Amino acid sequence: MEAPPLPAASVSCRNLGKSGLRVSCLGLGTWVTFGSQISDETAEDVLTVAYEHGVNLFDTAEVYAAGKAERTLGNILKSKGWRRSSYVITTKIFWGGQAETERGLSRKHIIEGLRGSLERLQLGYVDIVFANRSDPNSPMEEIVRAMTYVINQGLALYWGTSRWGAAEIMEAYSMARQFNLIPPVCEQAEHHLFQREKVEMQLPELYHKIGVGSVTWSPLACGLITSKYDGRVPDTCRVTIKGYQWHKDKVQSEDGKKQQAKVMDLLPIAHQLGCTVAQLAIAWCLRSEGVSSVLLGVSSAEQLVEHLGALQVLSQLTPQTVIEIDGLLGNKPHPKK
């Protein structure tokens, strides 16, 4: 039986990379849930609890629920009436529509896509606009110039990358420096106990060299790292949602079963720290160098409160505990010779 979750603590802030922007070390993502999986009322409850606990970073994208996530988030923010200066909104541009001109990272789609997002969010600007995956069809100079333009026009305050390779991020930075344009400040990357290479090996070097920080997502591997699967797939979990057959296949694959076994191996450590495996996994993500914020995806306010309890676990993650976790996982990445 798993230990009762630690209660939520007030969320602290970190600098976004080496920029001056302060973001909560735990942010709230709207992928899957907002506009699709949960009701607007539940979404409002989740957002309210997050804000009241010090979460100031709310992440969305033009593609989430075909724009409904941005619309839902915008409606909630408008109804709450919170000071615009008290929270950070991020959105991602790439998949905007069916037409060739409605996707990718051309100057046209970056500008028009962002304006569409702002209209759905009912905001004058977003704090960070992310280029959601790299685009081989758009020259890097065009992308950097377009991002600089939307910032100079006041449509965004910063820009970042999402699912870009380290070499591509470095190219964008170099392009910005060469032409006196604005470089990206952070990369959004998947990071959890079974996805480690990029955030632990590649991004720290970029953080030290050019100040690019990390905003990471999927700390629980789409719910895999909760011990709830335990060799089976419950009827109520995310993998049973239409369109998530890929995740169900992943969970039920040989690798998925091995990962579930590793999660169960972590239970004694979680018990020792007085937390759940989910809280342990989130705290583990927060310890990585250069990580500015870890995005949480939740379907209820209760689940959010439990996940925020990870902050109390972070201070207990001693080097010895981390070594013990690495030993159980057996997947710690090492520098390539």
Side-chain angles (χ1 to χ4, degrees):
M1 186 175 175
E2 202 163 342
L6 287 170
S10 183
V11 180
S12 59
C13 287
R14 298 176 176 179
N15 282 57
L16 181 70
K18 293 190 178 178
S19 77
L21 181 62
R22 300 283 286 173
V23 295
S24 51
C25 65
L26 291 175
L28 183 65
T30 60
W31 180 53
V32 180
T33 52
F34 278 46
S36 57
Q37 189 182 337
I38 61 176
S39 68
D40 291 355
E41 292 76 17
T42 301
E44 182 170 347
D45 288 344
V46 167
L47 206 71
T48 302
V49 169
Y51 186 79
E52 288 174 350
H53 279 85
V55 174
N56 73 0
L57 176 61
F58 305 119
D59 177 76
T60 189
E62 63 174 349
V63 72
Y64 293 170
K68 290 179 185 174
E70 288 180 325
R71 204 167 280 117
T72 300
L73 178 59
N75 288 338
I76 296 170
L77 291 172
K78 186 176 181 181
S79 70
K80 300 306 288 188
W82 297 326
R83 297 186 317 282
R84 178 63 184 91
S85 55
S86 68
Y87 56 83
V88 174
I89 299 296
T90 73
T91 195
K92 294 181 283 296
I93 301 295
F94 193 94
W95 301 110
Q98 298 302 312
E100 282 289 333
T101 52
E102 293 175 327
R103 56 180 180 265
L105 296 176
S106 66
R107 180 183 178 88
K108 177 179 174 65
H109 183 56
I110 288 174
I111 295 169
E112 291 178 346
L114 181 53
R115 283 180 173 151
S117 290
L118 293 175
E119 187 177 328
R120 289 186 290 275
L121 287 163
Q122 303 173 69
L123 296 174
Y125 64 94
V126 293
D127 297 273
I128 313 166
V129 56
F130 286 98
N132 191 17
R133 80 176 54 214
S134 56
D135 182 7
N137 296 317
S138 297
M140 187 62 75
E141 184 179 345
E142 180 175 344
I143 296 170
V144 179
R145 285 192 182 279
M147 288 299 190
T148 300
Y149 173 83
V150 297
I151 290 173
N152 288 338
Q153 292 296 307
L155 304 178
L157 305 183
Y158 302 85
W159 80 277
T161 58
S162 178
R163 297 194 287 176
W164 282 33
E168 294 168 322
I169 297 169
M170 198 69 203
E171 184 186 353
Y173 176 86
S174 301
M175 192 71 67
R177 288 288 174 250
Q178 181 181 350
F179 295 111
N180 196 27
L181 303 172
I182 299 173
V185 294
C186 66
E187 156 71 5
Q188 260 200 40
E190 182 179 4
H191 183 225
H192 50 74
L193 293 167
F194 306 114
Q195 183 82 17
R196 305 181 57 173
E197 175 77 25
K198 183 176 180 180
V199 172
E200 294 182 45
M201 300 306 300
Q202 300 172 21
L203 295 184
E205 185 179 359
L206 289 181
Y207 173 68
H208 288 293
K209 279 185 176 178
I210 61 177
V212 169
S214 309
V215 172
T216 68
W217 49 276
S218 199
L220 302 181
C222 292
L224 177 70
I225 306 171
T226 59
S227 75
K228 68 182 178 183
Y229 292 120
D230 194 14
R232 60 188 178 83
V233 180
D235 295 334
T236 55
C237 78
R238 184 179 295 179
V239 299
T240 60
I241 301 171
K242 184 180 178 183
Y244 279 78
Q245 182 63 40
W246 61 271
H247 188 46
K248 185 173 183 177
D249 292 342
K250 188 175 180 181
V251 169
Q252 295 179 327
S253 69
E254 282 306 309
D255 278 348
K257 288 173 183 174
K258 287 177 184 175
Q259 290 174 355
Q260 290 171 61
K262 298 282 188 186
V263 171
M264 300 310 291
D265 289 342
L266 292 172
L267 274 172
I269 297 178
H271 283 147
Q272 189 180 346
L273 299 178
C275 66
T276 64
V277 169
Q279 290 174 327
L280 176 63
I282 293 166
W284 180 90
C285 291
L286 281 167
R287 95 206 191 291
S288 293
E289 185 182 32
V291 170
S292 303
S293 187
V294 174
L295 298 176
L296 305 174
V298 299
S299 55
S300 69
E302 293 75 22
Q303 189 181 29
L304 174 64
V305 170
E306 179 196 331
H307 289 180
L308 294 178
L311 292 172
Q312 297 192 43
V313 185
L314 184 59
S315 60
Q316 301 179 65
L317 281 184
T318 62
Q320 186 56 45
T321 304
V322 173
I323 289 171
E324 190 178 348
I325 292 171
D326 282 337
L328 286 171
L329 295 174
N331 65 355
K332 183 178 179 179
H334 297 283
K336 291 181 174 60
K337 293 182 180 178

